[in-house]
Amino acid sequence: MSNTKDSKATETYWTTRYTNSQTGWDIGAPSTPLKTYFEQLNNKNSSILIPGAGNAYEAEYLFFKGFKNVFILDIAKAPLEAFKKRIPNFPEAHIIHDDFFTHKGRYDLIVEQTFFCSFPPYPESRHKYALKMHELLKENAKLVGLWFNFPLSNDMEKRPFGGNIEEYTEYFKPLFHIKTFETCYNSIPPRMDRELFGIFEKKTSV
């Protein structure tokens, strides 16, 4: 995906999805498990990245809670422009139009929300995701969020793509200390028993 041609194709794909309102994963609000986690955060100066942010309801929630260094990133411009209109006081420099795999930065926390499941579910792309997350995090920083817990279909265009805890653990365990990774107890009703909540702390040496 870091290839320019692939990047452009990916941008076109997601721009079309947003333009045509083909955003069935979008629940129109921050998810309950992430809101619950955010309520435990005390350092409002922490640098927080939300990649594949889309309409970025989690970023909106954090911003209005007083978190000063929230960054959103998406390969498609459409949701970022909509976010700017919705939250005009959000720092423009924190709204990043970029390919996740070429993005440069260092963060205290990265929030996962329906991003991992957007990539074709091949081992190489999922391993590349885990490596990039590790690269973007500061020492002992955390990747926190939600991963879908349902079987993959044979339809490689049927996003979001699923998986299971055993498979995901293979990608994360070499790079992160797994603090928790289990079925969510507080998912929204349509996603009950279909989401895993994970907290992964970056290993300092791998």
Side-chain angles (χ1 to χ4, degrees), residues 92-128:
E92 189 160 353
H94 292 195
I95 301 173
I96 305 166
H97 176 230
D98 199 4
D99 182 337
F100 168 72
F101 292 102
T102 58
H103 178 63
K104 303 295 182 186
R106 299 276 280 173
Y107 300 94
D108 297 303
L109 173 66
I110 301 181
V111 178
E112 164 61 46
Q113 166 69 312
T114 69
F115 181 51
F116 175 92
C117 64
S118 68
F119 301 116
Y122 305 120
E124 56 269 26
S125 60
R126 291 185 161 183
H127 179 59
K128 190 177 179 183

PDB file of all heavy atoms in Angstrom, residues 92-128:
ATOM      1  N   GLU A  92      -6.594  22.382  12.405  1.00  0.00           N
ATOM      2  CA  GLU A  92      -6.486  21.884  11.029  1.00  0.00           C
ATOM      3  C   GLU A  92      -5.228  21.056  10.815  1.00  0.00           C
ATOM      4  O   GLU A  92      -5.227  20.094  10.050  1.00  0.00           O
ATOM      5  CB  GLU A  92      -6.532  23.061  10.040  1.00  0.00           C
ATOM      6  CG  GLU A  92      -6.641  22.592   8.600  1.00  0.00           C
ATOM      7  CD  GLU A  92      -7.151  23.664   7.668  1.00  0.00           C
ATOM      8  OE1 GLU A  92      -7.550  24.743   8.141  1.00  0.00           O
ATOM      9  OE2 GLU A  92      -7.147  23.410   6.456  1.00  0.00           O
ATOM     10  N   ALA A  93      -4.157  21.423  11.507  1.00  0.00           N
ATOM     11  CA  ALA A  93      -2.900  20.673  11.371  1.00  0.00           C
ATOM     12  C   ALA A  93      -3.007  19.250  11.923  1.00  0.00           C
ATOM     13  O   ALA A  93      -2.134  18.417  11.653  1.00  0.00           O
ATOM     14  CB  ALA A  93      -1.782  21.414  12.096  1.00  0.00           C
ATOM     15  N   HIS A  94      -4.056  18.978  12.682  1.00  0.00           N
ATOM     16  CA  HIS A  94      -4.256  17.648  13.252  1.00  0.00           C
ATOM     17  C   HIS A  94      -5.166  16.788  12.381  1.00  0.00           C
ATOM     18  O   HIS A  94      -5.508  15.671  12.755  1.00  0.00           O
ATOM     19  CB  HIS A  94      -4.848  17.759  14.658  1.00  0.00           C
ATOM     20  CG  HIS A  94      -3.902  18.352  15.657  1.00  0.00           C
ATOM     21  ND1 HIS A  94      -4.115  18.267  17.014  1.00  0.00           N
ATOM     22  CD2 HIS A  94      -2.737  19.029  15.512  1.00  0.00           C
ATOM     23  CE1 HIS A  94      -3.127  18.877  17.655  1.00  0.00           C
ATOM     24  NE2 HIS A  94      -2.281  19.352  16.752  1.00  0.00           N
ATOM     25  N   ILE A  95      -5.569  17.317  11.233  1.00  0.00           N
ATOM     26  CA  ILE A  95      -6.401  16.583  10.277  1.00  0.00           C
ATOM     27  C   ILE A  95      -5.497  16.214   9.108  1.00  0.00           C
ATOM     28  O   ILE A  95      -5.080  17.070   8.325  1.00  0.00           O
ATOM     29  CB  ILE A  95      -7.592  17.433   9.806  1.00  0.00           C
ATOM     30  CG1 ILE A  95      -8.457  17.835  11.014  1.00  0.00           C
ATOM     31  CG2 ILE A  95      -8.428  16.677   8.780  1.00  0.00           C
ATOM     32  CD1 ILE A  95      -9.573  18.813  10.678  1.00  0.00           C
ATOM     33  N   ILE A  96      -5.169  14.937   9.011  1.00  0.00           N
ATOM     34  CA  ILE A  96      -4.102  14.497   8.108  1.00  0.00           C
ATOM     35  C   ILE A  96      -4.658  13.639   6.976  1.00  0.00           C
ATOM     36  O   ILE A  96      -5.234  12.567   7.213  1.00  0.00           O
ATOM     37  CB  ILE A  96      -3.046  13.692   8.891  1.00  0.00           C
ATOM     38  CG1 ILE A  96      -2.519  14.504  10.086  1.00  0.00           C
ATOM     39  CG2 ILE A  96      -1.893  13.281   7.972  1.00  0.00           C
ATOM     40  CD1 ILE A  96      -1.743  13.677  11.083  1.00  0.00           C
ATOM     41  N   HIS A  97      -4.463  14.124   5.759  1.00  0.00           N
ATOM     42  CA  HIS A  97      -4.828  13.342   4.566  1.00  0.00           C
ATOM     43  C   HIS A  97      -3.574  12.613   4.113  1.00  0.00           C
ATOM     44  O   HIS A  97      -2.651  13.215   3.558  1.00  0.00           O
ATOM     45  CB  HIS A  97      -5.356  14.281   3.479  1.00  0.00           C
ATOM     46  CG  HIS A  97      -5.666  13.569   2.193  1.00  0.00           C
ATOM     47  ND1 HIS A  97      -5.214  14.007   0.978  1.00  0.00           N
ATOM     48  CD2 HIS A  97      -6.380  12.445   1.956  1.00  0.00           C
ATOM     49  CE1 HIS A  97      -5.630  13.187   0.034  1.00  0.00           C
ATOM     50  NE2 HIS A  97      -6.337  12.231   0.602  1.00  0.00           N
ATOM     51  N   ASP A  98      -3.526  11.301   4.371  1.00  0.00           N
ATOM     52  CA  ASP A  98      -2.290  10.562   4.107  1.00  0.00           C
ATOM     53  C   ASP A  98      -2.585   9.068   4.068  1.00  0.00           C
ATOM     54  O   ASP A  98      -3.621   8.594   4.547  1.00  0.00           O
ATOM     55  CB  ASP A  98      -1.271  10.871   5.217  1.00  0.00           C
ATOM     56  CG  ASP A  98       0.162  10.546   4.824  1.00  0.00           C
ATOM     57  OD1 ASP A  98       0.396  10.154   3.664  1.00  0.00           O
ATOM     58  OD2 ASP A  98       1.049  10.697   5.684  1.00  0.00           O
ATOM     59  N   ASP A  99      -1.640   8.341   3.502  1.00  0.00           N
ATOM     60  CA  ASP A  99      -1.644   6.883   3.538  1.00  0.00           C
ATOM     61  C   ASP A  99      -1.022   6.460   4.870  1.00  0.00           C
ATOM     62  O   ASP A  99       0.112   6.859   5.187  1.00  0.00           O
ATOM     63  CB  ASP A  99      -0.823   6.355   2.360  1.00  0.00           C
ATOM     64  CG  ASP A  99      -0.788   4.836   2.261  1.00  0.00           C
ATOM     65  OD1 ASP A  99      -1.000   4.155   3.276  1.00  0.00           O
ATOM     66  OD2 ASP A  99      -0.530   4.338   1.154  1.00  0.00           O
ATOM     67  N   PHE A 100      -1.731   5.697   5.625  1.00  0.00           N
ATOM     68  CA  PHE A 100      -1.244   5.227   6.919  1.00  0.00           C
ATOM     69  C   PHE A 100       0.160   4.640   6.819  1.00  0.00           C
ATOM     70  O   PHE A 100       1.016   4.881   7.679  1.00  0.00           O
ATOM     71  CB  PHE A 100      -2.222   4.177   7.453  1.00  0.00           C
ATOM     72  CG  PHE A 100      -1.740   3.379   8.635  1.00  0.00           C
ATOM     73  CD1 PHE A 100      -1.648   3.952   9.885  1.00  0.00           C
ATOM     74  CD2 PHE A 100      -1.397   2.038   8.488  1.00  0.00           C
ATOM     75  CE1 PHE A 100      -1.216   3.206  10.985  1.00  0.00           C
ATOM     76  CE2 PHE A 100      -0.968   1.288   9.571  1.00  0.00           C
ATOM     77  CZ  PHE A 100      -0.878   1.883  10.826  1.00  0.00           C
ATOM     78  N   PHE A 101       0.426   3.885   5.766  1.00  0.00           N
ATOM     79  CA  PHE A 101       1.684   3.163   5.666  1.00  0.00           C
ATOM     80  C   PHE A 101       2.877   4.050   5.308  1.00  0.00           C
ATOM     81  O   PHE A 101       4.019   3.619   5.424  1.00  0.00           O
ATOM     82  CB  PHE A 101       1.556   2.004   4.675  1.00  0.00           C
ATOM     83  CG  PHE A 101       0.650   0.916   5.179  1.00  0.00           C
ATOM     84  CD1 PHE A 101      -0.642   0.802   4.709  1.00  0.00           C
ATOM     85  CD2 PHE A 101       1.091   0.029   6.146  1.00  0.00           C
ATOM     86  CE1 PHE A 101      -1.480  -0.194   5.190  1.00  0.00           C
ATOM     87  CE2 PHE A 101       0.260  -0.971   6.631  1.00  0.00           C
ATOM     88  CZ  PHE A 101      -1.026  -1.081   6.155  1.00  0.00           C
ATOM     89  N   THR A 102       2.625   5.268   4.900  1.00  0.00           N
ATOM     90  CA  THR A 102       3.722   6.201   4.646  1.00  0.00           C
ATOM     91  C   THR A 102       3.746   7.337   5.667  1.00  0.00           C
ATOM     92  O   THR A 102       4.634   8.178   5.641  1.00  0.00           O
ATOM     93  CB  THR A 102       3.622   6.804   3.229  1.00  0.00           C
ATOM     94  OG1 THR A 102       2.365   7.467   3.081  1.00  0.00           O
ATOM     95  CG2 THR A 102       3.736   5.717   2.166  1.00  0.00           C
ATOM     96  N   HIS A 103       2.780   7.347   6.557  1.00  0.00           N
ATOM     97  CA  HIS A 103       2.688   8.403   7.561  1.00  0.00           C
ATOM     98  C   HIS A 103       3.873   8.347   8.528  1.00  0.00           C
ATOM     99  O   HIS A 103       4.331   7.281   8.919  1.00  0.00           O
ATOM    100  CB  HIS A 103       1.379   8.268   8.333  1.00  0.00           C
ATOM    101  CG  HIS A 103       1.212   9.280   9.419  1.00  0.00           C
ATOM    102  ND1 HIS A 103       1.143  10.624   9.177  1.00  0.00           N
ATOM    103  CD2 HIS A 103       1.129   9.136  10.779  1.00  0.00           C
ATOM    104  CE1 HIS A 103       1.015  11.274  10.321  1.00  0.00           C
ATOM    105  NE2 HIS A 103       1.011  10.400  11.300  1.00  0.00           N
ATOM    106  N   LYS A 104       4.358   9.516   8.911  1.00  0.00           N
ATOM    107  CA  LYS A 104       5.448   9.627   9.877  1.00  0.00           C
ATOM    108  C   LYS A 104       4.925  10.312  11.137  1.00  0.00           C
ATOM    109  O   LYS A 104       4.194  11.303  11.056  1.00  0.00           O
ATOM    110  CB  LYS A 104       6.609  10.448   9.307  1.00  0.00           C
ATOM    111  CG  LYS A 104       7.173   9.913   8.001  1.00  0.00           C
ATOM    112  CD  LYS A 104       7.811   8.557   8.181  1.00  0.00           C
ATOM    113  CE  LYS A 104       8.416   8.073   6.874  1.00  0.00           C
ATOM    114  NZ  LYS A 104       8.929   6.682   7.000  1.00  0.00           N
ATOM    115  N   GLY A 105       5.311   9.819  12.281  1.00  0.00           N
ATOM    116  CA  GLY A 105       4.891  10.428  13.537  1.00  0.00           C
ATOM    117  C   GLY A 105       5.197   9.500  14.688  1.00  0.00           C
ATOM    118  O   GLY A 105       5.590   8.345  14.493  1.00  0.00           O
ATOM    119  N   ARG A 106       4.992   9.997  15.909  1.00  0.00           N
ATOM    120  CA  ARG A 106       5.214   9.199  17.113  1.00  0.00           C
ATOM    121  C   ARG A 106       4.122   9.571  18.102  1.00  0.00           C
ATOM    122  O   ARG A 106       3.921  10.750  18.408  1.00  0.00           O
ATOM    123  CB  ARG A 106       6.581   9.497  17.715  1.00  0.00           C
ATOM    124  CG  ARG A 106       7.740   9.169  16.799  1.00  0.00           C
ATOM    125  CD  ARG A 106       8.135   7.714  16.865  1.00  0.00           C
ATOM    126  NE  ARG A 106       8.973   7.427  18.025  1.00  0.00           N
ATOM    127  CZ  ARG A 106       9.345   6.220  18.394  1.00  0.00           C
ATOM    128  NH1 ARG A 106       8.932   5.171  17.739  1.00  0.00           N
ATOM    129  NH2 ARG A 106      10.123   6.055  19.443  1.00  0.00           N
ATOM    130  N   TYR A 107       3.439   8.578  18.602  1.00  0.00           N
ATOM    131  CA  TYR A 107       2.244   8.822  19.395  1.00  0.00           C
ATOM    132  C   TYR A 107       2.269   8.038  20.712  1.00  0.00           C
ATOM    133  O   TYR A 107       2.870   6.966  20.812  1.00  0.00           O
ATOM    134  CB  TYR A 107       1.001   8.438  18.584  1.00  0.00           C
ATOM    135  CG  TYR A 107       0.881   9.233  17.314  1.00  0.00           C
ATOM    136  CD1 TYR A 107       1.390   8.747  16.108  1.00  0.00           C
ATOM    137  CD2 TYR A 107       0.304  10.500  17.310  1.00  0.00           C
ATOM    138  CE1 TYR A 107       1.308   9.489  14.935  1.00  0.00           C
ATOM    139  CE2 TYR A 107       0.210  11.258  16.149  1.00  0.00           C
ATOM    140  CZ  TYR A 107       0.723  10.742  14.968  1.00  0.00           C
ATOM    141  OH  TYR A 107       0.647  11.489  13.816  1.00  0.00           O
ATOM    142  N   ASP A 108       1.561   8.606  21.697  1.00  0.00           N
ATOM    143  CA  ASP A 108       1.402   7.935  22.991  1.00  0.00           C
ATOM    144  C   ASP A 108       0.310   6.871  22.943  1.00  0.00           C
ATOM    145  O   ASP A 108       0.343   5.903  23.709  1.00  0.00           O
ATOM    146  CB  ASP A 108       1.023   8.958  24.068  1.00  0.00           C
ATOM    147  CG  ASP A 108       2.102   9.995  24.280  1.00  0.00           C
ATOM    148  OD1 ASP A 108       3.244   9.598  24.586  1.00  0.00           O
ATOM    149  OD2 ASP A 108       1.812  11.205  24.144  1.00  0.00           O
ATOM    150  N   LEU A 109      -0.644   7.076  22.063  1.00  0.00           N
ATOM    151  CA  LEU A 109      -1.794   6.177  21.964  1.00  0.00           C
ATOM    152  C   LEU A 109      -2.296   6.185  20.529  1.00  0.00           C
ATOM    153  O   LEU A 109      -2.412   7.250  19.914  1.00  0.00           O
ATOM    154  CB  LEU A 109      -2.916   6.643  22.897  1.00  0.00           C
ATOM    155  CG  LEU A 109      -4.263   5.914  22.810  1.00  0.00           C
ATOM    156  CD1 LEU A 109      -4.137   4.462  23.268  1.00  0.00           C
ATOM    157  CD2 LEU A 109      -5.329   6.642  23.641  1.00  0.00           C
ATOM    158  N   ILE A 110      -2.566   5.000  19.992  1.00  0.00           N
ATOM    159  CA  ILE A 110      -3.248   4.884  18.702  1.00  0.00           C
ATOM    160  C   ILE A 110      -4.544   4.130  18.946  1.00  0.00           C
ATOM    161  O   ILE A 110      -4.572   3.105  19.638  1.00  0.00           O
ATOM    162  CB  ILE A 110      -2.398   4.170  17.651  1.00  0.00           C
ATOM    163  CG1 ILE A 110      -1.079   4.931  17.427  1.00  0.00           C
ATOM    164  CG2 ILE A 110      -3.160   4.071  16.331  1.00  0.00           C
ATOM    165  CD1 ILE A 110      -0.161   4.313  16.384  1.00  0.00           C
ATOM    166  N   VAL A 111      -5.615   4.664  18.381  1.00  0.00           N
ATOM    167  CA  VAL A 111      -6.954   4.103  18.578  1.00  0.00           C
ATOM    168  C   VAL A 111      -7.384   3.364  17.310  1.00  0.00           C
ATOM    169  O   VAL A 111      -7.381   3.925  16.213  1.00  0.00           O
ATOM    170  CB  VAL A 111      -7.967   5.223  18.899  1.00  0.00           C
ATOM    171  CG1 VAL A 111      -9.375   4.643  19.044  1.00  0.00           C
ATOM    172  CG2 VAL A 111      -7.551   5.965  20.176  1.00  0.00           C
ATOM    173  N   GLU A 112      -7.740   2.106  17.477  1.00  0.00           N
ATOM    174  CA  GLU A 112      -8.224   1.265  16.379  1.00  0.00           C
ATOM    175  C   GLU A 112      -9.746   1.180  16.424  1.00  0.00           C
ATOM    176  O   GLU A 112     -10.325   0.803  17.448  1.00  0.00           O
ATOM    177  CB  GLU A 112      -7.621  -0.139  16.497  1.00  0.00           C
ATOM    178  CG  GLU A 112      -8.315  -1.209  15.674  1.00  0.00           C
ATOM    179  CD  GLU A 112      -8.292  -0.933  14.176  1.00  0.00           C
ATOM    180  OE1 GLU A 112      -7.219  -0.582  13.645  1.00  0.00           O
ATOM    181  OE2 GLU A 112      -9.355  -1.066  13.543  1.00  0.00           O
ATOM    182  N   GLN A 113     -10.367   1.547  15.311  1.00  0.00           N
ATOM    183  CA  GLN A 113     -11.827   1.458  15.225  1.00  0.00           C
ATOM    184  C   GLN A 113     -12.194   1.252  13.761  1.00  0.00           C
ATOM    185  O   GLN A 113     -12.139   2.168  12.954  1.00  0.00           O
ATOM    186  CB  GLN A 113     -12.471   2.737  15.783  1.00  0.00           C
ATOM    187  CG  GLN A 113     -13.942   2.929  15.459  1.00  0.00           C
ATOM    188  CD  GLN A 113     -14.848   1.940  16.162  1.00  0.00           C
ATOM    189  OE1 GLN A 113     -14.604   0.748  16.155  1.00  0.00           O
ATOM    190  NE2 GLN A 113     -15.904   2.414  16.761  1.00  0.00           N
ATOM    191  N   THR A 114     -12.515   0.014  13.399  1.00  0.00           N
ATOM    192  CA  THR A 114     -12.904  -0.385  12.036  1.00  0.00           C
ATOM    193  C   THR A 114     -11.872  -0.009  10.973  1.00  0.00           C
ATOM    194  O   THR A 114     -12.211   0.223   9.824  1.00  0.00           O
ATOM    195  CB  THR A 114     -14.294   0.179  11.641  1.00  0.00           C
ATOM    196  OG1 THR A 114     -14.239   1.603  11.492  1.00  0.00           O
ATOM    197  CG2 THR A 114     -15.356  -0.200  12.650  1.00  0.00           C
ATOM    198  N   PHE A 115     -10.597   0.020  11.354  1.00  0.00           N
ATOM    199  CA  PHE A 115      -9.528   0.318  10.402  1.00  0.00           C
ATOM    200  C   PHE A 115      -8.849  -0.964   9.938  1.00  0.00           C
ATOM    201  O   PHE A 115      -8.754  -1.232   8.736  1.00  0.00           O
ATOM    202  CB  PHE A 115      -8.522   1.274  11.047  1.00  0.00           C
ATOM    203  CG  PHE A 115      -7.378   1.677  10.163  1.00  0.00           C
ATOM    204  CD1 PHE A 115      -7.608   2.163   8.888  1.00  0.00           C
ATOM    205  CD2 PHE A 115      -6.066   1.577  10.608  1.00  0.00           C
ATOM    206  CE1 PHE A 115      -6.543   2.534   8.063  1.00  0.00           C
ATOM    207  CE2 PHE A 115      -4.999   1.947   9.805  1.00  0.00           C
ATOM    208  CZ  PHE A 115      -5.246   2.421   8.528  1.00  0.00           C
ATOM    209  N   PHE A 116      -8.410  -1.760  10.883  1.00  0.00           N
ATOM    210  CA  PHE A 116      -7.766  -3.041  10.576  1.00  0.00           C
ATOM    211  C   PHE A 116      -8.624  -3.880   9.628  1.00  0.00           C
ATOM    212  O   PHE A 116      -8.127  -4.493   8.681  1.00  0.00           O
ATOM    213  CB  PHE A 116      -7.527  -3.794  11.884  1.00  0.00           C
ATOM    214  CG  PHE A 116      -6.974  -5.183  11.732  1.00  0.00           C
ATOM    215  CD1 PHE A 116      -5.601  -5.403  11.745  1.00  0.00           C
ATOM    216  CD2 PHE A 116      -7.816  -6.271  11.618  1.00  0.00           C
ATOM    217  CE1 PHE A 116      -5.084  -6.690  11.629  1.00  0.00           C
ATOM    218  CE2 PHE A 116      -7.312  -7.548  11.497  1.00  0.00           C
ATOM    219  CZ  PHE A 116      -5.943  -7.763  11.501  1.00  0.00           C
ATOM    220  N   CYS A 117      -9.920  -3.886   9.877  1.00  0.00           N
ATOM    221  CA  CYS A 117     -10.829  -4.752   9.116  1.00  0.00           C
ATOM    222  C   CYS A 117     -11.085  -4.239   7.701  1.00  0.00           C
ATOM    223  O   CYS A 117     -11.782  -4.887   6.919  1.00  0.00           O
ATOM    224  CB  CYS A 117     -12.154  -4.896   9.858  1.00  0.00           C
ATOM    225  SG  CYS A 117     -13.043  -3.332  10.003  1.00  0.00           S
ATOM    226  N   SER A 118     -10.531  -3.069   7.362  1.00  0.00           N
ATOM    227  CA  SER A 118     -10.761  -2.511   6.025  1.00  0.00           C
ATOM    228  C   SER A 118      -9.760  -3.035   5.001  1.00  0.00           C
ATOM    229  O   SER A 118      -9.983  -2.912   3.805  1.00  0.00           O
ATOM    230  CB  SER A 118     -10.661  -0.983   6.079  1.00  0.00           C
ATOM    231  OG  SER A 118      -9.334  -0.555   6.350  1.00  0.00           O
ATOM    232  N   PHE A 119      -8.648  -3.625   5.462  1.00  0.00           N
ATOM    233  CA  PHE A 119      -7.628  -4.120   4.540  1.00  0.00           C
ATOM    234  C   PHE A 119      -7.964  -5.529   4.069  1.00  0.00           C
ATOM    235  O   PHE A 119      -8.510  -6.322   4.835  1.00  0.00           O
ATOM    236  CB  PHE A 119      -6.250  -4.145   5.213  1.00  0.00           C
ATOM    237  CG  PHE A 119      -5.796  -2.814   5.710  1.00  0.00           C
ATOM    238  CD1 PHE A 119      -5.604  -2.585   7.060  1.00  0.00           C
ATOM    239  CD2 PHE A 119      -5.571  -1.774   4.829  1.00  0.00           C
ATOM    240  CE1 PHE A 119      -5.187  -1.348   7.523  1.00  0.00           C
ATOM    241  CE2 PHE A 119      -5.151  -0.538   5.279  1.00  0.00           C
ATOM    242  CZ  PHE A 119      -4.965  -0.318   6.632  1.00  0.00           C
ATOM    243  N   PRO A 120      -7.609  -5.869   2.831  1.00  0.00           N
ATOM    244  CA  PRO A 120      -7.770  -7.272   2.401  1.00  0.00           C
ATOM    245  C   PRO A 120      -7.121  -8.200   3.420  1.00  0.00           C
ATOM    246  O   PRO A 120      -5.993  -7.957   3.862  1.00  0.00           O
ATOM    247  CB  PRO A 120      -7.033  -7.300   1.056  1.00  0.00           C
ATOM    248  CG  PRO A 120      -7.145  -5.898   0.538  1.00  0.00           C
ATOM    249  CD  PRO A 120      -7.048  -5.026   1.770  1.00  0.00           C
ATOM    250  N   PRO A 121      -7.835  -9.247   3.837  1.00  0.00           N
ATOM    251  CA  PRO A 121      -7.425 -10.042   5.001  1.00  0.00           C
ATOM    252  C   PRO A 121      -6.360 -11.096   4.693  1.00  0.00           C
ATOM    253  O   PRO A 121      -6.551 -12.282   4.930  1.00  0.00           O
ATOM    254  CB  PRO A 121      -8.737 -10.687   5.441  1.00  0.00           C
ATOM    255  CG  PRO A 121      -9.469 -10.885   4.150  1.00  0.00           C
ATOM    256  CD  PRO A 121      -9.125  -9.682   3.313  1.00  0.00           C
ATOM    257  N   TYR A 122      -5.236 -10.618   4.172  1.00  0.00           N
ATOM    258  CA  TYR A 122      -4.135 -11.527   3.891  1.00  0.00           C
ATOM    259  C   TYR A 122      -3.074 -11.385   4.983  1.00  0.00           C
ATOM    260  O   TYR A 122      -2.897 -10.296   5.540  1.00  0.00           O
ATOM    261  CB  TYR A 122      -3.525 -11.221   2.523  1.00  0.00           C
ATOM    262  CG  TYR A 122      -4.541 -11.243   1.403  1.00  0.00           C
ATOM    263  CD1 TYR A 122      -4.770 -10.105   0.637  1.00  0.00           C
ATOM    264  CD2 TYR A 122      -5.277 -12.392   1.127  1.00  0.00           C
ATOM    265  CE1 TYR A 122      -5.706 -10.107  -0.385  1.00  0.00           C
ATOM    266  CE2 TYR A 122      -6.217 -12.409   0.107  1.00  0.00           C
ATOM    267  CZ  TYR A 122      -6.425 -11.263  -0.647  1.00  0.00           C
ATOM    268  OH  TYR A 122      -7.357 -11.278  -1.643  1.00  0.00           O
ATOM    269  N   PRO A 123      -2.332 -12.443   5.276  1.00  0.00           N
ATOM    270  CA  PRO A 123      -1.326 -12.348   6.331  1.00  0.00           C
ATOM    271  C   PRO A 123      -0.330 -11.210   6.118  1.00  0.00           C
ATOM    272  O   PRO A 123       0.055 -10.535   7.076  1.00  0.00           O
ATOM    273  CB  PRO A 123      -0.637 -13.718   6.272  1.00  0.00           C
ATOM    274  CG  PRO A 123      -1.679 -14.641   5.747  1.00  0.00           C
ATOM    275  CD  PRO A 123      -2.471 -13.826   4.767  1.00  0.00           C
ATOM    276  N   GLU A 124       0.081 -10.970   4.859  1.00  0.00           N
ATOM    277  CA  GLU A 124       1.080  -9.927   4.629  1.00  0.00           C
ATOM    278  C   GLU A 124       0.551  -8.533   4.961  1.00  0.00           C
ATOM    279  O   GLU A 124       1.261  -7.700   5.526  1.00  0.00           O
ATOM    280  CB  GLU A 124       1.602  -9.969   3.181  1.00  0.00           C
ATOM    281  CG  GLU A 124       0.550  -9.861   2.106  1.00  0.00           C
ATOM    282  CD  GLU A 124      -0.012 -11.201   1.639  1.00  0.00           C
ATOM    283  OE1 GLU A 124       0.008 -12.168   2.430  1.00  0.00           O
ATOM    284  OE2 GLU A 124      -0.481 -11.264   0.488  1.00  0.00           O
ATOM    285  N   SER A 125      -0.729  -8.257   4.638  1.00  0.00           N
ATOM    286  CA  SER A 125      -1.278  -6.923   4.922  1.00  0.00           C
ATOM    287  C   SER A 125      -1.529  -6.751   6.413  1.00  0.00           C
ATOM    288  O   SER A 125      -1.303  -5.665   6.970  1.00  0.00           O
ATOM    289  CB  SER A 125      -2.562  -6.675   4.129  1.00  0.00           C
ATOM    290  OG  SER A 125      -3.554  -7.613   4.452  1.00  0.00           O
ATOM    291  N   ARG A 126      -1.938  -7.796   7.098  1.00  0.00           N
ATOM    292  CA  ARG A 126      -2.198  -7.701   8.531  1.00  0.00           C
ATOM    293  C   ARG A 126      -0.889  -7.613   9.321  1.00  0.00           C
ATOM    294  O   ARG A 126      -0.810  -6.886  10.313  1.00  0.00           O
ATOM    295  CB  ARG A 126      -3.059  -8.879   8.981  1.00  0.00           C
ATOM    296  CG  ARG A 126      -4.472  -8.768   8.405  1.00  0.00           C
ATOM    297  CD  ARG A 126      -5.452  -9.798   8.869  1.00  0.00           C
ATOM    298  NE  ARG A 126      -6.818  -9.315   8.617  1.00  0.00           N
ATOM    299  CZ  ARG A 126      -7.921  -9.959   8.952  1.00  0.00           C
ATOM    300  NH1 ARG A 126      -7.840 -11.127   9.586  1.00  0.00           N
ATOM    301  NH2 ARG A 126      -9.104  -9.440   8.707  1.00  0.00           N
ATOM    302  N   HIS A 127       0.123  -8.309   8.845  1.00  0.00           N
ATOM    303  CA  HIS A 127       1.439  -8.202   9.492  1.00  0.00           C
ATOM    304  C   HIS A 127       2.013  -6.801   9.275  1.00  0.00           C
ATOM    305  O   HIS A 127       2.584  -6.194  10.197  1.00  0.00           O
ATOM    306  CB  HIS A 127       2.376  -9.256   8.911  1.00  0.00           C
ATOM    307  CG  HIS A 127       3.756  -9.218   9.470  1.00  0.00           C
ATOM    308  ND1 HIS A 127       4.034  -9.379  10.819  1.00  0.00           N
ATOM    309  CD2 HIS A 127       4.955  -9.012   8.878  1.00  0.00           C
ATOM    310  CE1 HIS A 127       5.326  -9.289  11.016  1.00  0.00           C
ATOM    311  NE2 HIS A 127       5.912  -9.057   9.868  1.00  0.00           N
ATOM    312  N   LYS A 128       1.826  -6.259   8.085  1.00  0.00           N
ATOM    313  CA  LYS A 128       2.322  -4.914   7.776  1.00  0.00           C
ATOM    314  C   LYS A 128       1.643  -3.876   8.660  1.00  0.00           C
ATOM    315  O   LYS A 128       2.278  -2.919   9.127  1.00  0.00           O
ATOM    316  CB  LYS A 128       2.060  -4.621   6.298  1.00  0.00           C
ATOM    317  CG  LYS A 128       2.722  -3.370   5.768  1.00  0.00           C
ATOM    318  CD  LYS A 128       2.447  -3.249   4.270  1.00  0.00           C
ATOM    319  CE  LYS A 128       3.071  -1.987   3.711  1.00  0.00           C
ATOM    320  NZ  LYS A 128       2.762  -1.817   2.272  1.00  0.00           N
TER     321      LYS A 128
END
